[in-house]
Amino acid sequence: MKNFKITFGNGTVWVNEEVVTVENFENEQTAIDKMIDKLEEEGEEGCFLTWEQISEEGGDYNEDEYIIGGNHGRILYHGGILNIELISENEE
C-alpha cells in the first residue's frame, strides 16, 4: 500500500490536505480519483466546479486552476495549488 498526501487550494488563504491510500501498483492519478470520490461522497460540493464555469464561452476559470477526475468526472477546483507527495509505501 502507498499513502499520498494531496494538498490543494480552495480559494482562500488556507489549503486542504487529504491522505489517500492506494495499492502498490496504483499511482498519483488513482489517488486523486479516490480523493475526488471521497469528497463527493462527503458532500463537499464547495470543492467542485460545474461544466458551465469552465466552458470556453464565458468560463470563469483557467485550465491550470482545476483537475477532472473521480468516478463521475467531477471538476476539482485547486486554484493553481496542487501538490501530491508520497508519504509512505509498504510492501504487501
Side-chain angles (χ1 to χ4, degrees), residues 7-20:
T7 305
F8 62 99
N10 59 17
T12 68
V13 295
W14 297 277
V15 295
N16 294 4
E17 287 187 354
E18 296 282 338
V19 175
V20 180

Side-chain angles (χ1 to χ4, degrees), residues 11-66:
T12 68
V13 295
W14 297 277
V15 295
N16 294 4
E17 287 187 354
E18 296 282 338
V19 175
V20 180
T21 302
V22 298
E23 299 292 333
N24 281 336
F25 64 89
E26 296 177 315
N27 57 26
E28 291 87 347
Q29 182 60 53
T30 304
I32 287 178
D33 289 338
K34 285 186 174 189
M35 181 190 70
I36 289 173
D37 290 340
K38 177 181 173 273
L39 292 171
E40 180 181 30
E41 184 179 298
E42 292 173 349
E44 298 291 337
E45 291 300 315
C47 294
F48 300 110
L49 301 174
T50 64
W51 290 102
E52 292 78 24
Q53 289 174 303
I54 65 167
S55 70
E56 290 184 23
E57 296 179 18
D60 298 328
Y61 298 91
N62 296 318
E63 290 179 0
D64 61 352
E65 294 181 292
Y66 60 86

